[in-house]
Amino acid sequence: VCALNRLQFNADRPVLIVTGDQDPVIPVAHAYAAHRAMPHSRMHVISGVAHHPHTECADTVARIIDDFIGSDKQPAEAAVSL
């Protein structure tokens, strides 16, 4: 399943992409493709994390979400690796 042809519908919304670099279900390449398709998005790739970053490193994901919600800045163009 690929959603790339529908990502433009998020052009006017803030988008946060959080993924693990060890995800065996959805390859990290998919996150990079989504990030490229939505240049206004913010992307965080968490090192050593698989398919459930929100449970594997809950504190890190919570901080990422807090920073995203609390930010009034434009998203960075580059992905952030943790």
Side-chain angles (χ1 to χ4, degrees):
V1 175
C2 181
L4 288 177
N5 65 340
R6 294 181 290 282
L7 296 179
Q8 74 275 8
F9 297 120
N10 292 310
D12 62 343
R13 294 175 182 89
V15 175
L16 174 63
I17 301 167
V18 179
T19 189
D21 68 350
Q22 302 297 311
D23 191 334
V25 179
I26 302 173
V28 71
H30 288 228
Y32 281 104
H35 183 57
R36 282 191 303 274
M38 297 181 293
H40 63 286
S41 67
R42 289 191 188 178
M43 180 174 153
H44 293 268
V45 180
I46 305 172
S47 179
V49 172
H51 190 64
H52 296 105
H54 58 286
T55 58
E56 294 176 54
C57 56
D59 290 341
T60 299
V61 173
R63 183 180 47 78
I64 291 169
I65 293 170
D66 284 346
D67 290 347
F68 180 75
I69 291 171
S71 176
D72 59 355
K73 299 177 185 174
Q74 293 295 322
E77 290 184 17
V80 176
S81 293
L82 302 174

